[in-house]
Amino acid sequence: MRALCWMGVNDLQVNTVPDPRIVNPHDVILKVRLTTTCGSDLHLIDGYIPTMREGDVIGHAYMGEIVEVGREVKRLRVGDRVVVPSFLGCGTCWYCDHDLWSLCDNTHPKPELAEPVLGYPPAAIPGYSHAFSGLAGSHATYIRVLHGDVNCFHVPEGITDEQALFLSDSVPTGWTGADFCDIREGDTIAVWGCGAVGLMAQRSALLQGAGRVIAIDRLPERLALARDKIGSETIDYSDSDSVLEELREMTGGRGPDACIEAVGMEAHGTGPQYALDRAKQALHLQTDRGSALREAAMAVRKGGVLSVVGVYGVIDKFPFGMLTNKGITMRTSQQPGQRYMPAMMAAVQAGELDPSFLITHRMSLENAPRGYELFKNKEDGCLRAVFTP
Ligand SMILES: NC(=O)c1ccc[n+]([C@@H]2O[C@H](COP(=O)([O-])OP(=O)(O)OC[C@H]3O[C@@H](n4cnc5c(N)ncnc54)[C@H](O)[C@@H]3O)[C@@H](O)[C@H]2O)c1
Ligand SMILES: [Zn+2]
Ligand SMILES: [Zn+2]
């Protein structure tokens, strides 16, 4: 089959690789119908995620059609149209049982690579380095899905492939970020980042009861989407003397009830702290640039929630004492999409959520390297490039 392979930092190629096959009787093989880029892939392409190997197939946001089922698979048939959350659960461990699917104890095939850094291994995610499983990713003709019965969700008629695709990754991540905020009717939620994840966090916050959402970014086309497609108020941080001051003014001096960080380790910024972050990241003294995370922590009101869905590794100069002195609850996780799938599907069916507007570029898998170039450089307004294998 054809697949998009990581060949080195900033080097992606479409190659012919072996087809996946059923290894465990609970596996299914999916023919990928659509697969898309994610901000997390940029961290791999730019070389910030260790344990990538030449030839690894990347991609973790996808939907498709079942073409083969293992002999223990009960709920799925060849021909079913399904979407799969990017982190895979087993459905039977303590974590899956507690709806903490991205923490599943059983799906990571190489826990010895994750334990030295994390203590315990997270759930497996395909296409995202060996420390996160080493499973082949979704930018390919076919993908093997572990524990098909609990990870494949039927897409009902009336929901299009393009809508279902985003229930794999961007929507559940945004939904998680909003859920962590314990939103009370009318709350004001500020969201850093208007990428697909940030936009879906904004939409989810409104669906979960927020009265106001304030979105922060610098790319005009993304800020326009936040206003027009979601109904957020916006702040362009590149055009602001102080995002903190603006937020304070917009919230009667108190600050947002919760702040969602949906930017991650490659944040941009201004001023000397940003210059220092860039220099340290370039010299590998830290992996992350923390401007958005620091600002979100600073901006949240006393007693509020700091919800972090942006991906980080090691960050310097995070003012930890501020969390204590302001009584902040900080919550963070990789998204447990299985937990939210019924609510997300219902919102799409009811017409309250249509994530298909996130697609700015459609292309064949053969053109995926170009798609990633557009996405990485935010060229031509690229928000999500979607590939058809
Ligand atoms: N926790 C999870 O399960 C999970 C799942 C998917 C993605 N993610 C992470 O979410 C983050 C966002 O993903 P995405 O696909 O939307 O990425 P993206 O790169 O498309 O968007 C990031 C946005 O942040 C903006 N930005 C940069 N610096 C900023 C700053 N200082 N203040 C405000 N905005 C700033 C950029 O202009 C851009 O629009 C990434 O770190 C990604 O790894 C996490
Ligand atoms: Zn992702
Ligand atoms: Zn499990």
Side-chain angles (χ1 to χ4, degrees):
M1 67 170 182
R2 301 290 281 167
L4 182 68
C5 301
W6 187 94
M7 304 305 286
V9 173
N10 280 314
D11 184 7
L12 299 176
Q13 282 174 26
V14 181
N15 291 332
T16 299
V17 303
D19 286 0
R21 50 184 191 83
I22 302 268
V23 176
N24 179 290
H26 296 280
D27 291 347
V28 303
I29 305 291
L30 217 69
K31 182 173 187 332
V32 178
R33 283 163 72 113
L34 294 177
T35 179
T36 184
T37 56
C38 171
S40 301
D41 296 322
L42 300 180
H43 312 327
L44 310 173
I45 294 169
D46 293 339
Y48 296 122
I49 307 280
T51 72
M52 286 300 293
R53 297 186 194 152
E54 194 182 312
D56 283 350
V57 177
I58 69 165
H60 58 267
Y62 58 105
M63 59 80 58
E65 186 182 317
I66 301 206
V67 290
E68 201 182 338
V69 296
R71 63 173 192 280
E72 293 294 331
V73 173
K74 309 272 188 267
R75 287 180 46 249
L76 306 165
R77 299 277 171 273
V78 169
D80 288 357
R81 193 168 66 110
V82 297
V83 57
V84 185
S86 44
F87 284 87
L88 299 167
C90 73
T92 50
C93 75
W94 187 90
Y95 292 97
C96 290
D97 211 34
H98 286 75
D99 245 354
L100 300 166
W101 295 84
S102 55
L103 308 179
C104 172
D105 241 352
N106 285 330
T107 48
H108 198 310
K110 300 173 184 169
E112 68 283 1
L113 291 182
E115 277 165 2
V117 222
L118 301 177
Y120 306 92
I125 173 173
Y128 206 73
S129 83
H130 292 261
F132 281 94
S133 81
L135 294 171
S138 63
H139 295 338
T141 321
Y142 301 102
I143 184 169
R144 169 181 162 231
V145 181
L146 280 56
H147 300 282
D149 273 339
V150 293
N151 292 312
C152 293
F153 289 81
H154 287 114
V155 179
E157 250 178 71
I159 296 187
T160 64
D161 284 4
E162 292 194 347
Q163 291 173 320
L165 169 65
F166 292 101
L167 301 184
S168 172
D169 198 68
S170 315
V171 180
T173 306
W175 200 283
T176 303
D179 188 35
F180 282 170
C181 298
D182 281 334
I183 299 174
R184 281 167 306 187
E185 219 44 50
D187 274 357
T188 298
I189 310 294
V191 179
W192 274 255
C194 292
V197 171
L199 291 166
M200 290 302 105
Q202 295 162 34
R203 185 76 202 122
S204 303
L206 290 171
L207 288 171
Q208 292 174 32
R212 269 177 98 183
V213 171
I214 305 170
I216 300 128
D217 204 305
R218 84 192 144 104
L219 300 171
E221 66 280 9
R222 294 188 176 197
L223 289 165
L225 287 172
R227 283 189 300 270
D228 303 344
K229 295 283 183 185
I230 311 283
S232 302
E233 298 163 59
T234 57
I235 299 177
D236 174 350
Y237 70 84
S238 65
D239 186 37
S240 165
D241 289 336
S242 164
V243 170
L244 285 184
E245 258 327 302
E246 285 198 43
L247 284 170
R248 217 174 326 207
E249 257 171 47
M250 291 166 89
T251 55
R254 195 163 62 195
D257 297 297
C259 292
I260 302 177
E261 200 282 359
V263 175
M265 62 170 85
E266 294 179 72
H268 288 252
T270 48
Q273 180 63 55
Y274 176 59
L276 185 64
D277 276 347
R278 283 197 67 154
K280 282 187 175 171
Q281 195 176 43
L283 294 170
H284 298 288
L285 295 174
Q286 68 178 4
T287 60
D288 304 349
R289 305 196 296 255
S291 31
L293 183 60
R294 293 191 195 98
E295 194 168 73
M298 198 69 179
V300 66
R301 74 157 163 80
K302 291 181 280 185
V305 176
L306 174 61
S307 165
V308 183
V309 288
V311 162
Y312 285 91
V314 176
I315 177 170
D316 266 5
K317 290 208 168 39
F318 182 72
F320 193 85
M322 185 226 290
L323 301 183
T324 313
N325 290 314
K326 277 168 62 184
I328 302 305
T329 302
M330 178 163 153
R331 294 199 65 185
T332 179
S333 181
Q334 304 285 7
Q335 52 98 0
Q338 293 83 345
R339 172 184 190 149
Y340 301 119
M341 196 59 82
M344 295 186 303
M345 283 280 191
V348 176
Q349 273 188 309
E352 295 167 345
L353 173 67
D354 182 0
S356 57
F357 81 85
L358 299 172
I359 306 177
T360 50
H361 294 75
R362 295 172 177 82
M363 51 188 81
S364 76
L365 184 66
E366 295 300 319
N367 290 322
R370 174 70 186 139
Y372 267 100
E373 220 173 272
L374 293 168
F375 177 56
K376 176 178 147 82
N377 301 322
K378 319 305 195 219
E379 257 175 75
D380 193 27
C382 187
L383 178 63
R384 279 289 186 264
V386 168
F387 311 126
T388 308

